[in-house]
Amino acid sequence: MMERQMRATDANAVKSSVRFGATLDTAVQQRLHVLVVAAFAAAGNVRREACGTPRCASNLVGVARLAFPEQLVEITFRVTLPGARGEAAVVNFQLR
């Protein structure tokens, strides 16, 4: 169940990041809020797939509940974007 929710969230993040000219390969950080920390181990491959190579920094936060009863994970991505003069900009995506 968590892997399915993570894959759906990753797909939403890809769609959102494309609007800004980014991909998850440019992710610099991923923060996961999870209900069941033990279930996160089963989703390790999904997390690695989402950030491409090299992997981005990742934080795991255990929480008592999320917005919806069926929700097991909420993910926030930070991706870098090329600036107008070569500077890097960072955009946060928080997806459910």
Side-chain angles (χ1 to χ4, degrees), residues 16-88:
S16 296
S17 61
V18 165
R19 293 188 335 211
F20 295 95
T23 68
L24 293 187
D25 291 336
T26 63
V28 294
Q29 182 183 25
Q30 180 184 24
R31 180 173 293 135
L32 298 98
H33 292 85
V34 297
L35 284 182
V36 182
V37 175
F40 178 72
N45 290 334
V46 177
R47 182 173 54 92
R48 284 187 291 277
E49 290 169 11
C51 290
T53 303
R55 288 178 37 200
C56 62
S58 181
N59 305 80
L60 175 67
V61 180
V63 297
R65 64 182 235 184
L66 293 165
F68 304 103
E70 68 279 2
Q71 188 176 3
L72 298 175
V73 62
E74 178 178 301
I75 305 174
T76 301
F77 293 96
R78 296 183 76 200
V79 298
T80 56
L81 302 175
R85 287 172 269 171
E87 301 97 13

